[in-house]
Amino acid sequence: SNKPHKKSANCVGEVMGKYHPHGDSSIYGTVARMAQWWSMRHTLVDGHGNFGSIDGDSPAAMRYTEVRLDPLGEEMLRDIDADTVDFQPNYDNSRKEPVVLPTRFPNLLVNGASGIAVGMATNMPTHNLRESIDACIALLDNPDLEISELSKIITAPDFPTGGIVYGLSGVYEGYRTGRGRVIMRARTHLEEFGRDHSRTRIVVDEIPYMVNKRVLYERMHELWRDKKLDGISEMRDESTRQIRIAIDLKQGAMPEVVLNNLFKNTQMQESFGMNMVALVDGQPMLLNLKQMVVYFLEHRREVVTRRTIFRLKKSRGAGHILAGQAIALANIDEFIRLIRAAKTVEEAQQS
């Protein structure tokens, strides 16, 4: 993270040649997604250039963009050179690659996961980094904590695009069983405008996770144009980096009624199906919230233990050399005599 940015094409080529002998589009798509703030709760890649937008625009070609690790992404690799994880041969046996990463934070909880394999699917929501680490610490202090107590620390998913989690029963069901339904709503506020502030405007500030803002706005505009949304006089997308969709209401229109129609007929209200399937020792398992944290802590215990053993071996090796040097200094004259008497380097080493 403290080194200069490198061209994305360079990164993609390295990955394709050494670790992932498939299409460059899948590799670049992965790198680009890890740099998108609306896709990741905490980005793992620091990108320079056009990496797309929440409107669904594609990233620029990889020859134009540049990447480097984000500080948090670096934490996923910390101590990887201290024999903390197992390595396996890559696709052509030319080098080794890690089986897992020795991450220092529960990335699966923080950034979630979504994917489909053969007969298996997973869909994990994103969570707040501070809450996730607090849950790990709480379970370390008290391994007998119940899921209900953990869910007071991780109260609900925390999505990168913001929005509101509407009702918690589905969330708690997901935390308890591994499967649940999170209902997400756009966050809005009301503004007064016009002469004597007699008119009301609904402003959409945050939208549900994984909703394309452009598609959402076009759907809202289409319903308004077809007169399926009553009480609206004008609608504008005033977004810059911050999301802002302005909906001007007609005189006397009720904002609550208009909002309920928007929630019902557009993606201003969406659901996220929690399906927390993860690989545990190579086997897919449906995990509840406590199991997710427990398995992460087990992984960290193994990493810290292996790192300590590695450092101990390294220190013992250095101590062995220092002890030999101390013996040599104490008997320097004898050492010099033996070396001078030897005809070859090998003979001197044997002496």
Side-chain angles (χ1 to χ4, degrees), residues 7-19 24 27 62:
K7 283 286 185 187
S8 299
N10 179 46
C11 170
V12 170
E14 287 280 303
V15 171
M16 194 190 307
K18 294 176 180 177
Y19 304 110
D24 58 352
I27 302 169
M62 59 185 167

Side-chain angles (χ1 to χ4, degrees), residues 56-306:
D57 300 313
S58 300
M62 59 185 167
R63 63 181 178 273
Y64 298 122
T65 58
E66 297 180 343
V67 291
R68 68 177 177 187
L69 271 179
D70 207 73
L72 198 65
E74 201 169 331
E75 293 302 318
M76 291 195 69
L77 296 163
R78 191 173 295 281
D79 300 321
I80 198 168
D81 54 351
D83 191 34
T84 49
V85 293
D86 291 331
F87 278 70
Q88 64 186 14
N90 69 339
Y91 68 95
D92 64 354
N93 280 324
S94 62
R95 63 186 68 238
K96 300 278 190 179
E97 62 184 19
V99 178
V100 292
L101 296 180
T103 176
R104 298 187 77 181
F105 69 99
N107 183 60
L108 206 54
L109 263 179
V110 172
N111 279 318
S114 180
I116 300 169
V118 183
M120 277 283 174
T122 186
N123 204 30
M124 296 188 193
T126 59
H127 291 89
N128 184 275
L129 177 63
R130 188 185 297 274
E131 288 178 1
S132 302
I133 291 174
D134 284 348
C136 293
I137 293 169
L139 205 62
L140 271 177
D141 292 339
N142 181 10
D144 298 324
L145 271 183
E146 296 294 328
I147 295 171
S148 57
E149 294 169 293
L150 273 179
S151 60
K152 291 176 184 174
I153 302 170
I154 302 179
T155 50
D158 185 6
F159 296 109
T161 53
I164 296 167
V165 174
Y166 185 67
L168 293 173
S169 58
V171 175
Y172 292 150
E173 180 67 16
Y175 286 164
R176 190 175 59 81
T177 65
R179 285 201 175 97
R181 188 161 166 263
V182 185
I183 299 173
M184 307 171 290
R185 276 190 169 184
R187 186 182 294 275
T188 61
H189 74 270
L190 301 180
E191 291 179 358
E192 293 179 343
F193 72 104
R195 187 179 297 173
D196 302 325
H197 300 287
S198 57
R199 304 268 304 279
T200 304
R201 173 184 295 140
I202 297 171
V203 178
V204 180
D205 303 303
E206 299 170 0
I207 61 175
Y209 184 46
M210 296 175 76
V211 167
N212 184 313
K213 179 172 67 66
R214 182 188 294 161
V215 172
L216 169 64
Y217 177 73
E218 286 172 356
R219 172 65 178 161
M220 291 162 65
H221 204 275
E222 179 188 324
L223 290 171
W224 171 51
R225 187 191 62 212
D226 296 344
K227 304 213 174 355
K228 292 178 181 176
L229 282 177
D230 293 327
I232 298 174
S233 64
E234 194 179 349
M235 189 182 297
R236 298 173 306 282
D237 184 0
E238 300 174 348
S239 305
T240 51
R241 166 78 188 213
Q242 299 295 321
I243 294 170
R244 181 181 166 88
I245 299 174
I247 304 165
D248 295 348
L249 302 185
K250 292 177 179 175
Q251 192 91 33
M254 297 291 290
E256 293 79 9
V257 174
V258 176
L259 272 173
N260 283 335
N261 282 330
L262 286 169
F263 289 138
K264 182 180 178 182
N265 298 304
T266 73
Q267 286 183 296
M268 277 182 63
Q269 177 171 310
E270 274 289 306
S271 63
F272 184 99
M274 293 171 67
N275 185 31
M276 303 209 293
V277 175
L279 291 177
V280 180
D281 296 327
Q283 300 296 317
M285 283 179 60
L286 182 68
L287 306 176
N288 60 38
L289 180 63
K290 183 174 180 179
Q291 287 173 316
M292 292 271 289
V293 179
V294 165
Y295 284 125
F296 171 71
L297 292 177
E298 283 182 8
H299 172 63
R300 282 303 299 166
R301 279 194 187 95
E302 184 186 349
V303 166
V304 172
T305 303
R306 290 177 63 160

